[in-house]
Amino acid sequence: MQTNPVLVESAVVFSVVMCVHMAVWNQHSWCCVALVIQAFYVQHKWDRLLRNGNAVFQWRPSANSGIVPAAMVMPLLGVALREKCAASGNVYFERFSMVVTVTGMMLAMFLSLLALGITRPVPTNTCVIAGVACSAILYTVKQTLTVSEVIEVLEVLLIFVYLSLIVLYLLPRCFTPGEALLVVGGVSFIVNQLIKRSLNLAEVKGEPVHYFLPVVVVGSLLLGVFFALLFCFMESETWVSSLFFHMMTAVLGLGILMPWLSLLIRRHPIMWLLDFVTLNDRRLCLLGYWVLLATLATLVVLHQNHQRQSGSKKHQASTVVRKYFHLIVVATFVPGLVYDRQLLHVASVGCLGAFLLLEYVRYFRIRPLGQVLRQLLSLFLDERDSGPLILTHIYLLLGMSLPIWLFPGPCAPKGILPGAGGLVPYAGVLAVGVGDTVASVFGSSLGEIRWPGTRKTVEGTATSVFAQIIAVAIFLIFDSAINLNSTYSWIVGSITLVAMLEAYTSQIDNLLLPLYLFILLLL
């Protein structure tokens, strides 16, 4: 009997949900259990719609819908964050975490109702299960959230609906339903938070570094949507269109985003950034080191393209070659995590903005670099880049950076979490930089025993777990802030669960795995 990988993937996610539920045990964790059960039933309806081509939009092929793993990320993240903030006595962020949990549940329920609404014949049993789960969630919302918090959740849901219509229409075959839920849901939440804080400048507080990400995300979103709609009616490859693109990018950056950011941080962003970067010699050394690594990555791309042109290599880069970039990113992030996390936070946000801008230039064929980028990056395409956008490198950056951006600094005494929480900022490095890289390299070269129903190998998963345990030991040596306090069994169990998820998921593992490891380590 052949094993269905979707069932194993769902079983792993259910195990993570139960781990969180047993550790937290409150109303929201019970709702997470109800949500994962209904998501399991709804996922089968989405998968059938994808197979029959009746899923409204064009989704990424050769992958299941991914509803179960994607639907649980934001609710579990909010539950875990709430537990830490409650333990530290930070009431504001405890309430904020509850909003995150309920928002994730509402977005997942909306996607479930969409699938049930277009499925024919109407799946009665699944509708009953979804109705029970939805009733439990709504009752919990009534009991735990204030009216203003409920309005905030509804605002995010409204932004999500309209943004989904725009993104999925303009970018066919770029996402599965689960990936769209993660990406568009996260962007919708960030947009709503930035609008909310911009309308209440008197209440704005926190470190200035935390405002760079929302401004970059919203600016990139505005730029992309504006030119995607504009270039539906005019040619984008001409010099006139390219000059207009560059001019409008400068206007958006200097005329809108800079003043917007200065209102939030109460200083001119460029002057603040200069003072921030030149604060000490260590930061200058780190920046110089990162410039060298960026140069090395560029040379790898040019070298691989030169070999393709000379005919000595295949037309597509091998798995081992693509994992070079994982190693370069690990070499980039680990020194920043050990020596200066605030600088790494700002630098990673800057890299995200640069990556998105270069992808727009490539996608719209903006002169003079658009066609060159298309030729250089086509070598590194894989089956996940089936749509008009190339997102693999952006997902890699997000997977490494999200644990740093999401780190609950206000809920951590002296910026450090006890026990396994000390490894939370390293979740991306462990899951993607070490685990996924080792699993791919060893699995493709030495693996012989395959997990039932997948192309992944047992040897790859085993070496992935072993390599991450070694990496944890190395981090303990070089980062004195980490104090595991005899939580080794929980760390090994968390790493093993996430490694099993990597073996069976068909979603973007660079995005999914760090988030699940982040949630487990946060407990």
Side-chain angles (χ1 to χ4, degrees):
M1 181 179 177
Q2 188 176 5
T3 302
N4 187 347
V6 178
L7 294 179
V8 181
E9 177 191 53
S10 301
V12 173
V13 174
F14 186 76
S15 300
V16 175
V17 173
M18 293 309 298
C19 288
V20 174
H21 177 56
M22 298 303 292
V24 177
W25 199 274
N26 58 26
Q27 286 177 294
H28 288 141
S29 68
W30 277 106
C31 288
C32 287
V33 175
L35 183 65
V36 73
I37 293 173
Q38 75 85 30
F40 174 75
Y41 281 87
V42 170
Q43 178 164 278
H44 288 285
K45 308 308 174 187
W46 266 112
D47 290 343
R48 184 192 300 172
L49 290 170
L50 293 177
R51 287 194 298 269
N52 298 335
N54 299 324
V56 183
F57 296 103
Q58 297 183 56
W59 305 96
R60 183 167 67 85
S62 67
N64 63 58
S65 60
I67 295 297
V68 171
M72 300 314 301
V73 168
M74 192 178 290
L76 292 179
L77 179 63
V79 169
L81 287 172
R82 181 192 176 189
E83 184 70 9
K84 287 298 177 186
C85 293
S88 65
N90 193 319
V91 178
Y92 175 81
F93 278 95
E94 182 183 356
R95 303 297 304 180
F96 176 78
S97 301
M98 293 168 63
V99 172
V100 172
T101 300
V102 175
T103 300
M105 292 179 181
M106 290 294 105
L107 296 180
M109 290 304 304
F110 171 78
L111 211 58
S112 299
L113 293 176
L114 177 62
L116 297 176
I118 61 179
T119 300
R120 295 292 181 272
V122 176
T124 306
N125 294 337
T126 306
C127 287
V128 171
I129 294 172
V132 172
C134 187
S135 300
I137 293 170
L138 291 177
Y139 178 78
T140 303
V141 170
K142 179 180 178 297
Q143 294 294 318
T144 57
L145 295 191
T146 63
V147 174
S148 62
E149 290 169 342
V150 172
I151 293 174
E152 187 174 347
V153 172
L154 295 177
E155 290 169 351
V156 177
L157 183 59
L158 184 64
I159 295 172
F160 175 79
V161 171
Y162 284 104
L163 199 57
S164 297
L165 293 174
I166 296 172
V167 171
L168 297 177
Y169 174 76
L170 295 175
L171 303 173
R173 303 181 308 279
C174 284
F175 308 99
T176 64
E179 292 162 3
L181 175 62
L182 266 181
V183 175
V184 181
V187 171
S188 302
F189 192 85
I190 290 174
V191 170
N192 185 66
Q193 285 297 309
L194 184 61
I195 294 173
K196 176 186 173 183
R197 299 189 184 194
S198 299
L199 294 175
N200 297 278
L201 290 175
E203 299 179 7
V204 169
K205 51 187 174 182
E207 293 288 335
V209 296
H210 297 141
Y211 294 102
F212 277 80
L213 177 62
V215 170
V216 167
V217 169
V218 172
S220 302
L221 178 66
L222 292 174
L223 186 68
V225 171
F226 174 76
F227 279 104
L229 295 175
L230 178 66
F231 290 145
C232 287
F233 305 100
M234 62 182 292
E235 184 63 44
S236 65
E237 301 178 35
T238 63
W239 273 109
V240 173
S241 298
S242 299
L243 289 173
F244 182 66
F245 176 88
H246 296 307
M247 181 184 69
M248 290 303 298
T249 302
V251 169
L252 176 67
L254 299 176
I256 298 177
L257 298 185
M258 284 288 184
W260 197 350
L261 188 56
S262 66
L263 287 175
L264 292 170
I265 67 175
R266 296 184 174 88
R267 277 196 65 186
H268 193 283
I270 295 179
M271 299 306 298
W272 179 90
L273 193 60
L274 287 174
D275 293 339
F276 178 79
V277 169
T278 58
L279 182 64
N280 53 50
D281 292 338
R282 176 179 290 175
R283 289 188 171 177
L284 295 175
C285 291
L286 277 173
L287 286 174
Y289 170 69
W290 290 339
V291 169
L292 288 177
L293 290 177
T295 305
L296 176 62
T298 305
L299 291 176
V300 170
V301 173
L302 296 175
H303 175 68
Q304 291 297 320
N305 276 271
H306 175 72
Q307 288 191 327
R308 177 176 64 173
Q309 292 172 1
S310 64
S312 60
K313 289 285 183 180
K314 296 179 180 180
H315 290 293
Q316 291 301 123
S318 65
T319 300
V320 175
V321 170
R322 283 198 290 268
K323 296 307 175 183
Y324 287 166
F325 297 100
H326 285 235
L327 296 177
I328 292 174
V329 172
V330 169
T332 302
F333 272 73
V334 171
L337 286 167
V338 173
Y339 296 112
D340 200 325
R341 293 180 185 177
Q342 280 201 326
L343 179 63
L344 181 61
H345 187 290
V346 174
S348 57
V349 171
C351 284
L352 176 64
F355 278 12
L356 291 173
L357 180 60
L358 289 174
E359 181 57 24
Y360 289 154
V361 170
R362 186 206 65 83
Y363 173 59
F364 295 126
R365 295 184 175 91
I366 301 298
R367 297 188 179 191
L369 296 177
Q371 195 59 38
V372 175
L373 288 173
R374 278 181 172 265
Q375 294 172 355
L376 292 176
L377 296 180
S378 63
L379 176 66
F380 301 95
L381 295 178
D382 60 17
E383 67 276 3
R384 294 174 296 184
D385 293 311
S386 55
L389 293 185
I390 300 177
L391 298 171
T392 307
H393 60 296
I394 298 175
Y395 285 139
L396 175 60
L397 176 64
L398 286 175
M400 302 289 285
S401 304
L402 280 172
I404 302 165
W405 298 342
L406 295 173
F407 181 78
C411 303
K414 299 180 180 179
I416 303 170
L417 292 175
L423 292 172
V424 160
Y426 292 89
V429 174
L430 288 171
V432 175
V434 178
D436 184 45
T437 302
V438 171
S440 297
V441 173
F442 280 84
S444 60
S445 58
L446 302 176
E448 295 182 359
I449 306 172
R450 298 192 181 278
W451 289 108
T454 75
R455 295 182 297 172
K456 306 294 179 66
T457 64
V458 176
E459 293 89 345
T461 303
T463 52
S464 168
V465 173
F466 186 63
Q468 290 180 74
I469 294 172
I470 294 176
V472 169
I474 295 174
F475 298 154
L476 279 171
I477 295 172
F478 288 97
D479 192 344
S480 58
I482 301 175
N483 183 12
L484 299 184
N485 295 332
S486 303
T487 55
Y488 302 103
S489 58
W490 181 266
I491 293 170
V492 173
S494 301
I495 289 173
T496 304
L497 272 177
V498 173
M500 288 300 300
L501 183 61
E502 188 274 337
Y504 276 95
T505 188
S506 61
Q507 306 304 297
I508 300 294
D509 50 7
N510 287 349
L511 187 61
L512 204 60
L513 303 184
L515 290 171
Y516 271 99
L517 188 57
F518 178 92
I519 292 166
L520 288 169
L521 293 177
L522 197 59
L523 298 173

